[in-house]
Amino acid sequence: MKKEKPKLIREDGLRHDGRRPDELRPIRMEVGVLSNANGSALVEYGKTKVIAAVYGPRELHPRHISLPDRAVIRCRYHMAPFSTEERKNPAPSRREIELSKVIREALEAAVFTELYPRATIDVFIEVLQADGGTRTTGITAAALALADAGIPLRDLVAGVAVGKVDGVLVLDIDQLEDEYGEADMPVAMMPSLGKITLLQLNGVLTPEEFREALKLAEKGIKEIYRMQREALKKKYVEIKPEET
Amino acid sequence: MSTTPSNIPILPKLKKESIRTLVAKGIRIDGRKLNEYRKIVIEPNYIPKAEGSALVRMGDTVVLVGVKMEVGQPFPDTPNEGVLMVNAEFVPLASPTFEPGPPDENAIELARVIDRSLREIRVIDLEKLAIIPGEKVWMVWVDIYVLNHAGNLLDASSLAAMAALMVTKMPKVEVSEQGEVKVDKSVHVGSLPLNHRVVTVTVGKLDEYLLVDPTDEEELVLDAKLAVSVSEDGRIAGMQKMGPGDFTVDEVYKAVNLALETGKELHSILEEYVAKR
């Protein structure tokens, strides 16, 4: 039976977990977490935990799917069977197939693929724990992994989902807000170029609400972008003392 | 795994350039304006054996949608509601680039974008589709069949799906005292209950220009696309950015406004071809 819809905006105007409408969850990022991959990153938005790894540029097989003037990007978004409330069948679902495509397209805009003709750059995203915003967390992690792999990028890509819950636009929705809210709008951008590389809307918004929602997403993405740059720098700051 | 497509048809460089230079002047290679759709024809009830159907021609693009109604079990979290299922098949006869086999990522994306646009605003009044609450409900199967790919499959499919739902007839159903459900598809009892109408407008971006209803050749030149689903009351019922490129924030606002404006035309075509029929 359907559970009773919980109150998503409390009497005091805060959200069910105590956040302000325009507040992100606690975010943690770590770069270079896997030794085999050319680049990797672990990113957490609250309870959502995603790991991403990049292999490449490397040779592509079968050859006939390579491109003569640029690299192809292969991307897999996948959820671990234990990442959700009920066990998720590890076979790729229709949702995962769609998300792999939109994430690939969101990253492809940032990569200078023309530098590596006939090669492939493989991006693997594994959702280890899902609590809303897994695709945007995955994009943030994958962009860090690409940068960690030393692949030239036009800009980093950072993502966040904006939602509408109990009539209020809120930043960085979690699973409860996604499940019982009226709209879920994942956005990814190349923040310093001001370019949107992923935009989806699952739900209904008036044109005015949409403008507000996009502004809110931009604000959140700028904060996440700052954390991404810090996380990338931190890897090298930590190495430095050993050298001297 | 999603891979950058490599089986894309080759478009001569000269043609690519002429598409570009013309769009910069505000015209298209087929003479249309940037905000102009190709000629749209809807043939409702194209497949009388289906409970609902419609064939849409958008220029040379042809999409057929059939709606089948079946009795099934409700989802555990919505025991008193019918079930909506949307599936798309890019059959190999529609394009030299389509191959037989299960739906690829493009077909899955198209079906899911349309599914969300119908589901989120509750186009179908699913609460009226319970037969025995918690046990037996109507399942509405929307099957999208692309017959000829000449560009803008999403808008044509969305329009065909909406038209097919608008003409869908409810088969007669009886529940016996023992709780057996008997369906008689030869007798109809009214139409599928609908709350809203939704159309999808895909806006293409080429350099700094925005255009609607791209042909297959134009799609090969576009940087990116933004699909916006528009309800009859002017709300945004779903969105999806498609293609490897990007949009500035300002371009997104412009694209959404263009879609909301153009969506009105598609709604009036639905009214003319389907509702008033």
Side-chain angles (χ1 to χ4, degrees), chain A residues 2 65 73-75 94 98 101-102 104-105 108-109 190 195-197 199-205 210, chain B residues 1-4 6 77 87 105-106 109 111-112 116 120 236-241 243-244 246-247:
Chain A
K2 190 161 184 166
I65 64 165
I73 291 187
R74 295 193 293 184
C75 175
R94 283 165 67 91
E98 184 202 341
K101 176 180 185 278
V102 295
R104 171 178 60 75
E105 291 174 341
E108 207 155 358
M190 294 192 274
K195 290 191 164 166
I196 295 169
T197 65
L199 176 59
Q200 293 180 290
L201 169 63
N202 187 4
V204 188
L205 295 177
F210 166 67
Chain B
M1 193 147 66
S2 171
T3 307
T4 311
S6 58
D77 56 341
N87 182 56
E105 61 178 32
N106 298 307
E109 181 185 40
R112 286 178 57 86
R116 293 196 285 262
E120 293 294 331
I236 306 168
M239 242 186 307
Q240 181 102 335
K241 179 245 162 192
D246 52 57
F247 282 88

Side-chain angles (χ1 to χ4, degrees), chain B residues 69-72 128-132 136-138 169-176 179-190:
Chain B
M69 305 278 295
E70 271 171 14
V71 176
K128 290 195 182 140
L129 298 187
I131 301 166
I132 308 171
K136 292 275 186 260
V137 297
W138 280 114
K169 299 274 179 291
M170 297 288 294
K172 188 181 166 197
V173 62
E174 277 179 349
V175 182
S176 72
E180 272 175 63
V181 176
K182 251 178 130 180
V183 176
D184 185 356
K185 288 203 170 184
S186 64
V187 186
H188 293 139
V189 286

Side-chain angles (χ1 to χ4, degrees), chain A:
Chain A
M1 280 302 276
K2 190 161 184 166
K3 281 176 276 175
E4 195 70 13
K5 178 181 172 296
K7 218 169 158 57
L8 295 171
I9 299 290
R10 310 189 313 206
E11 301 286 321
D12 57 5
L14 296 179
R15 293 152 76 177
H16 75 95
D17 58 357
R19 280 187 287 159
R20 295 186 311 275
D22 66 345
E23 191 176 338
L24 294 167
R25 289 176 281 183
I27 292 181
R28 202 177 78 84
M29 299 180 189
E30 199 182 337
V31 173
V33 291
L34 300 172
S35 69
N36 274 344
N38 296 103
S40 60
L42 180 73
V43 175
E44 295 174 22
Y45 287 13
K47 285 194 281 245
T48 292
K49 191 197 276 274
V50 180
I51 194 164
V54 167
Y55 283 84
R58 63 180 176 181
E59 207 171 325
L60 175 60
H61 293 285
R63 281 264 168 75
H64 69 88
I65 64 165
S66 71
L67 292 169
D69 57 342
R70 61 200 155 104
V72 306
I73 291 187
R74 295 193 293 184
C75 175
R76 186 175 97 138
Y77 161 97
H78 185 247
M79 295 179 92
F82 45 78
S83 64
T84 47
E85 224 63 42
E86 312 246 317
R87 179 175 185 271
K88 193 220 151 265
N89 183 332
S93 63
R94 283 165 67 91
R95 176 176 174 276
E96 287 169 301
I97 292 170
E98 184 202 341
L99 293 194
S100 296
K101 176 180 185 278
V102 295
I103 293 171
R104 171 178 60 75
E105 291 174 341
L107 298 170
E108 207 155 358
V111 180
F112 285 100
T113 52
E114 60 270 32
L115 295 177
Y116 308 105
R118 298 189 185 280
T120 179
I121 297 167
D122 293 339
V123 181
F124 301 113
I125 298 169
E126 289 291 336
V127 177
L128 302 180
Q129 185 163 270
D131 189 42
T134 57
R135 85 196 67 178
T136 45
T137 311
I139 287 172
T140 301
L144 285 174
L146 282 166
D148 185 39
I151 290 165
L153 302 174
R154 292 180 173 82
D155 193 0
L156 286 171
V157 186
V160 76
V162 172
K164 185 181 163 196
V165 300
D166 291 351
V168 181
L169 293 171
V170 295
L171 183 62
D172 187 22
I173 54 170
D174 64 16
Q175 186 163 301
L176 195 77
E177 290 173 322
D178 184 13
E179 211 170 309
Y180 293 98
E182 296 101 80
D184 163 30
M185 187 172 95
V187 184
M189 289 183 76
M190 294 192 274
S192 45
L193 299 177
K195 290 191 164 166
I196 295 169
T197 65
L198 177 133
L199 176 59
Q200 293 180 290
L201 169 63
N202 187 4
V204 188
L205 295 177
T206 65
E208 295 73 34
E209 284 170 337
F210 166 67
R211 281 177 166 267
E212 286 306 309
L214 197 56
K215 274 191 201 135
L216 197 54
E218 236 188 312
K219 175 184 171 287
I221 283 169
K222 286 200 172 127
E223 276 180 60
I224 293 163
Y225 181 52
R226 191 182 47 73
M227 291 182 238
Q228 277 180 311
R229 284 183 307 182
E230 264 171 32
L232 280 171
K233 281 184 204 155
K234 204 175 155 221
K235 185 185 162 188
Y236 297 97
V237 169
E238 277 170 2
I239 291 168
K240 209 178 166 192
E242 284 173 37
E243 287 172 353
T244 50

Side-chain angles (χ1 to χ4, degrees), chain B residues 2 7 9 11 25 146 155 165 208 221:
Chain B
S2 171
N7 66 336
L11 192 63
K25 289 179 196 154
V146 172
D155 296 9
L165 289 170
E208 67 262 46
V221 190

Side-chain angles (χ1 to χ4, degrees), chain B residues 57-179:
Chain B
R57 295 175 198 278
M58 192 173 271
D60 288 333
T61 288
V62 187
V63 177
L64 174 60
V65 168
V67 177
K68 291 299 289 177
M69 305 278 295
E70 271 171 14
V71 176
Q73 280 195 325
F75 286 120
D77 56 341
T78 52
N80 303 323
E81 290 184 10
V83 173
L84 166 69
M85 303 282 221
V86 182
N87 182 56
E89 297 284 337
F90 288 8
V91 283
L93 58 75
S95 161
T97 60
F98 292 172
E99 308 229 5
D104 68 355
E105 61 178 32
N106 298 307
I108 289 173
E109 181 185 40
L110 177 138
R112 286 178 57 86
V113 168
I114 292 174
D115 180 295
R116 293 196 285 262
S117 75
L118 297 172
R119 189 178 302 279
E120 293 294 331
I121 202 169
R122 303 187 74 81
V123 163
I124 303 172
D125 193 349
L126 293 174
E127 283 171 16
K128 290 195 182 140
L129 298 187
I131 301 166
I132 308 171
E135 285 177 41
K136 292 275 186 260
V137 297
W138 280 114
M139 314 198 44
V140 185
W141 291 88
V142 177
D143 280 289
I144 298 163
Y145 233 59
V146 172
L147 294 180
N148 201 54
H149 172 22
N152 204 14
L153 293 180
L154 179 54
D155 296 9
S157 302
S158 171
L159 194 65
M162 193 64 238
L165 289 170
M166 285 166 70
V167 298
T168 297
K169 299 274 179 291
M170 297 288 294
K172 188 181 166 197
V173 62
E174 277 179 349
V175 182
S176 72
E177 279 174 29
Q178 292 81 33

